[in-house]
Amino acid sequence: MFQPHADRIAKPLLAAAALVCAAVLVLIIAVIISGAWPALISQDLVVFITDASWYPLEGQFGMLSMLLASLLVMMIAILLAAPMGIICAIFIAYIAPVRVQKIYRFAIALLAGMPSVVLGLWGLTVLVPLVNKWSPPGLSLLLAGIVLAVMILPTVALTSLAAFKSLPIALQQAASALGVRQHVQILKVFIPAASAAILSGMLLAMARALGETMVVLMVAGNVVQFPSGLMEPVRTLTANIALEMAYATDQHRAALFVSGLLLTAMVLVMMSFAARIKGHNDYG
Amino acid sequence: MKLTLSFICLMCLSGLTQADNRLNLTGSSTVAPVVMEIAKRFESVNPGVRVDVQTGGSTRGVVDSRTGMADIGMVSRALKTNESDLTAHTIARDGVSIIVHGSNDIMELSEAEIIAIYIGKITNWSEVGGEDRRITVVNKADGRATLELFLAHFSLKNSQIKAQAVIGDNQQGIKTVSGNPGAIGYVSIGAAEYEQSVGTSIKLLPMNGVAANMQTLANGEFPISRPLNLVTKSLTPLSQQFIEFAQSPAVADLIKAQYFVPASR
């Protein structure tokens, strides 16, 4: 008798709370669209792709090079972080003694909490001068990818670890009972079984890398160009917004909102993929 | 009911007096931060006065003061000839200095050399008498006031510049140059002078033989500089009071804190 009554009160309260969460997203997207509106109605939309480069004060709004730079930096980061993160998770889940497990877990959690501006500062003051010695200016696509890899490594490691930990114990028991050796168990049983959850963790990490601003702003060099090599400076969409928004007016400002819209769309697509994969996972 | 009515009347009255003691400023995002600080101090020494500061660029400062949308406009350049209906009150000067890494043995660059470096015609320090090292050109992001001043002085367009690094604020520019022996950049003189004084490895290059420092900027000798102006179409007593306050020694510390030099008068 009491329980249904409590439910009646709790239901609308919870629904209202959930509505607020959802409304925030809608509100943010509405604000971005309204900010981008002046550019969306007054420009032919293809100019954002076809203009040769980005000189907003001279009427050039080409974003393709920055879009490519964003994607390249993200790909480098995940290519470096994924193997390391997954290996890290395997070590903690199956190989390390309990004590070492705890220390490693703590260290990864600590790295996850590292403010990205600190990582960026480390990149700018330590890595850039180092790379600069053999390939000036040092500020580059590759370096941005490396520092971002450090940033998203804990995300990959922790989500992979959670994926391994959530595998049913029966899986390991069955494999052991069949006399399968440990490294074969890991490669042929655990990794395939956890792969969907690992992949969705990787997508989360990629979305984070795509949206990251401070690190790339500090180490990527921010030159708008199609990079001809890994050591060339690039500007990502996020860095572009951070660099110019404070001083932008009129069409320039609206064009920055357009790039914000583009970024939001890309991150939402990735997040929905992550959610879909996770939904299909048998064990996750 | 009576109480409510009188309360509403009171609100109206206070609203009226508020309107009389309210000052609106709009314009340049370079001038706005320092004016906000000045406004805070102005409010604290004149209780009851409200100063509202909004940014939007020098052009907005001109337009708003002309149409009366703002009592005072903020403009980070000298007024143009077609803006002679407005009066400019200079509160400070801002200057831009070319900086290189502290270990660079270049002592001076001519204007032609600086242009050649920035448009990518000269790419090695040995071509201007330095050691054999690739030049890293550091440019500013679109919309920054220092970029406008630099481009205007050298008659360049931003799309002509071939940069290897683009930065936002002065601090980032100084960090980028001090971390790269081959770098050349340009930043606000005050910020560069301060960083140099605390041991950051940068060197301020003279322009046309004039050393880059706060003295040459203050006495108007340094070539790459501009006035930071408050502009008005007509002066109300309150705006006059505010402008006089902004030009007085009482706010010199606030102006210096933003790396500008107070206008000499």
Side-chain angles (χ1 to χ4, degrees):
Chain A
M1 203 57 205
F2 178 74
Q3 201 60 36
H5 182 64
D7 276 356
R8 266 201 298 278
I9 300 176
K11 211 171 173 182
L13 278 178
L14 293 177
L19 185 69
V20 168
C21 291
V24 168
L25 178 68
V26 174
L27 211 64
I28 289 174
I29 293 176
V31 166
I32 299 175
I33 291 178
S34 77
W37 197 247
L40 293 178
I41 53 166
S42 69
Q43 315 253 9
D44 209 345
L45 284 186
V46 290
V47 298
F48 296 117
I49 307 288
T50 53
D51 275 1
S53 191
W54 172 265
Y55 294 106
L57 299 184
E58 295 170 24
Q60 289 196 55
F61 296 100
M63 287 177 189
L64 202 57
S65 60
M66 292 188 280
L67 179 64
L68 183 75
S70 279
L71 292 174
L72 282 174
V73 169
M74 178 190 80
M75 289 315 291
I76 294 172
I78 197 69
L79 283 177
L80 293 172
M84 276 201 290
I86 295 169
I87 289 170
C88 219
I90 290 171
F91 178 73
I92 295 173
Y94 299 116
I95 296 164
V98 179
R99 258 184 107 131
V100 179
Q101 261 185 39
K102 278 189 179 149
I103 296 171
Y104 269 50
R105 256 195 140 128
F106 180 69
I108 294 175
L110 216 59
L111 186 60
M114 182 81 81
S116 66
V117 65
V118 175
L119 281 174
L121 207 58
W122 167 71
L124 182 62
T125 55
V126 179
L127 296 184
V128 170
L130 216 63
V131 177
N132 179 53
K133 282 193 183 124
W134 55 273
S135 176
L139 301 155
S140 59
L141 175 60
L142 181 65
L143 205 55
I146 291 174
V147 182
L148 267 191
V150 175
M151 196 191 89
I152 62 171
L153 179 64
T155 308
V156 177
L158 291 175
T159 51
S160 303
L161 186 59
F164 287 129
K165 290 284 182 192
S166 70
L167 292 179
I169 190 78
L171 220 54
Q172 186 169 7
Q173 287 168 342
S176 298
L178 287 171
V180 179
R181 281 166 299 166
Q182 192 188 28
H183 73 270
V184 183
Q185 281 185 16
I186 292 170
L187 287 175
K188 300 281 183 192
V189 180
F190 303 143
I191 291 184
S195 63
I198 291 174
L199 199 62
S200 102
M202 276 167 60
L203 277 169
L204 276 180
M206 283 161 78
R208 219 188 138 200
L210 189 65
E212 173 54 32
T213 308
M214 215 53 222
V215 164
V216 282
L217 184 63
M218 290 169 103
V219 302
N222 304 322
V223 177
V224 182
Q225 61 174 358
F226 290 99
S228 57
L230 283 175
M231 303 316 294
E232 292 284 309
V234 293
R235 186 187 297 185
T236 64
L237 287 171
T238 49
N240 191 45
I241 296 173
L243 269 176
E244 300 188 353
M245 188 53 99
Y247 296 87
T249 49
D250 305 333
Q251 285 296 319
H252 182 189
R253 189 180 145 85
L256 289 177
F257 270 102
V258 172
S259 59
L261 199 60
L262 196 61
L263 264 175
T264 314
M266 281 158 65
V267 170
L268 286 182
V269 166
M270 260 188 226
M271 291 300 207
S272 66
F273 270 125
R276 185 167 299 179
I277 290 171
K278 198 143 196 176
H280 284 192
N281 184 16
D282 294 339
Y283 304 107
Chain B
M1 192 60 194
K2 232 177 203 172
L3 197 73
T4 327
L5 262 179
S6 59
F7 185 67
I8 290 173
C9 282
L10 206 69
M11 293 263 288
C12 293
L13 270 177
S14 69
L16 275 178
T17 49
Q18 238 179 19
D20 275 342
N21 288 323
R22 193 174 275 261
L23 206 52
N24 267 321
L25 289 92
T26 64
S28 159
S29 55
T30 314
V31 189
V34 67
V35 166
M36 278 178 199
E37 293 299 317
I38 293 172
K40 266 187 222 155
R41 193 170 285 177
F42 187 73
E43 284 172 347
S44 68
V45 296
N46 298 287
V49 175
R50 274 279 291 137
V51 184
D52 191 35
V53 182
Q54 282 181 27
T55 61
S58 292
T59 312
R60 183 175 169 200
V62 168
V63 171
D64 283 0
S65 57
R66 201 175 255 164
T67 58
M69 285 284 290
D71 301 301
I72 302 174
M74 300 175 286
V75 179
S76 60
R77 53 171 168 77
L79 285 177
K80 296 171 185 166
T81 46
N82 61 359
E83 292 162 354
S84 55
D85 55 323
L86 302 173
T87 317
H89 314 266
T90 302
I91 58 167
R93 290 197 76 80
D94 180 24
V96 168
S97 164
I98 306 286
I99 57 169
V100 294
H101 191 263
S103 71
N104 197 323
D105 45 17
I106 293 281
M107 293 314 290
E108 178 158 20
L109 290 171
S110 71
E111 297 214 351
E113 284 170 332
I114 291 170
I115 291 172
I117 289 172
Y118 266 86
I119 62 175
K121 282 217 177 95
I122 294 179
T123 56
N124 196 300
W125 285 109
S126 61
E127 293 171 66
V128 288
E131 57 184 312
D132 179 24
R133 190 187 286 282
R134 222 173 91 185
I135 299 176
T136 299
V137 174
V138 181
N139 195 22
K140 288 234 174 186
D142 240 336
R144 300 274 166 169
T146 27
L147 169 72
E148 278 169 38
L149 189 54
F150 179 86
L151 293 178
H153 180 83
F154 291 101
S155 309
L156 288 170
K157 280 205 310 186
N158 199 16
S159 49
Q160 292 177 286
I161 289 180
K162 302 267 178 293
Q164 277 82 51
V166 176
I167 46 97
D169 59 16
N170 290 317
Q171 289 305 317
Q172 199 191 357
I174 290 166
K175 283 218 166 59
T176 305
V177 172
S178 66
N180 182 338
I184 181 169
Y186 56 90
V187 293
S188 200
I189 286 183
E193 211 180 32
Y194 170 76
E195 283 291 331
Q196 197 183 31
S197 73
V198 296
T200 308
S201 183
I202 53 167
K203 184 151 75 177
L204 286 77
L205 295 185
M207 277 309 299
N208 307 335
V210 181
N213 57 43
M214 295 302 252
Q215 279 77 43
T216 57
L217 179 59
N219 64 24
E221 275 181 59
F222 192 77
I224 317 181
S225 81
R226 58 175 175 176
L228 304 183
N229 287 324
L230 297 180
V231 302
T232 52
K233 187 163 174 81
S234 59
L235 275 178
T236 64
L238 188 62
S239 14
Q240 178 153 22
Q241 195 190 348
F242 181 81
I243 288 168
E244 278 168 9
F245 183 73
Q247 291 179 322
S248 72
V251 297
D253 58 321
L254 299 177
I255 291 172
K256 284 176 189 156
Q258 302 277 339
Y259 303 124
F260 302 133
V261 292
S264 49
R265 44 198 151 252

